[in-house]
Amino acid sequence: MTTDQDAEDVKFEAELAELKAKQARAQENLAKVRGKGTAHNGHIVFEVDVSGKFLDLKLNPQAGDLRLEDLESSIKSAARAALADAAKQAQEAVAELVADPVVGAKMREIQAAAGSVLAGAQAPAPTVKAPAPNGPQPGDEDYEQPASWLERA
């Protein structure tokens, strides 16, 4: 073996060790991801892990003042916010690994291959959005809770 080949082998092993270290840090960071979402002025807190698995739901006593429909809506809103937060944290957790030129090139290859496979797939059905509710909603800054149960009825 030549000294040039030895130098190339050493360089390759060092790059491989660096890539493995980045991958280990990314896995460690992903394991720590906890997405949190709140609603109803922070009285409802929903928490998920990096995969979107439900971890916790906290309801402060003020959340009990909501009508059932508003409580359901607020919990769903907090859950969506928690999922978005977890996704953002996951991107940050793998940023160093994805920024690596070797990983970036491989990801582009995978995306190109997936794009050509998906291009032949059937287009997804259009989604229909529900109309937005009128007036302020729980969690909005100008939402005012009815003073008594009579006003809510």
Side-chain angles (χ1 to χ4, degrees), residues 16-152:
L16 184 60
E18 181 182 341
L19 190 56
K20 284 181 179 181
K22 288 178 182 178
Q23 186 254 346
R25 284 191 297 273
Q27 283 183 318
E28 185 178 309
N29 292 338
L30 285 171
K32 294 176 185 176
V33 169
R34 296 294 180 264
K36 289 188 180 181
T38 62
H40 192 57
N41 296 322
H43 297 299
I44 298 170
V45 180
F46 200 94
E47 185 176 356
V48 296
D49 69 6
V50 71
S51 67
K53 179 182 169 191
F54 169 77
L55 296 175
D56 196 15
L57 173 65
K58 293 187 173 118
L59 302 173
N60 289 347
Q62 291 83 351
D65 295 338
L66 291 172
R67 293 180 306 147
L68 184 58
E69 297 83 16
D70 293 336
L71 180 61
E72 289 173 350
S73 175
S74 292
I75 290 172
K76 289 175 186 177
S77 176
R80 285 189 296 273
L83 291 169
D85 183 42
K88 179 182 176 210
Q89 288 182 45
Q91 285 181 331
E92 292 169 359
V94 298
E96 176 190 24
L97 181 62
V98 173
D100 186 278
V102 174
V103 174
K106 289 297 178 189
M107 287 183 69
R108 285 188 293 280
E109 286 178 28
I110 291 168
Q111 289 171 340
S116 64
V117 169
L118 293 176
Q122 183 180 12
T127 57
V128 178
K129 284 188 157 186
N134 293 332
Q137 298 297 309
D140 290 350
E141 197 172 309
D142 55 349
Y143 178 78
E144 291 185 29
Q145 188 69 23
S148 75
W149 68 271
L150 288 174
E151 290 179 14
R152 289 186 233 153

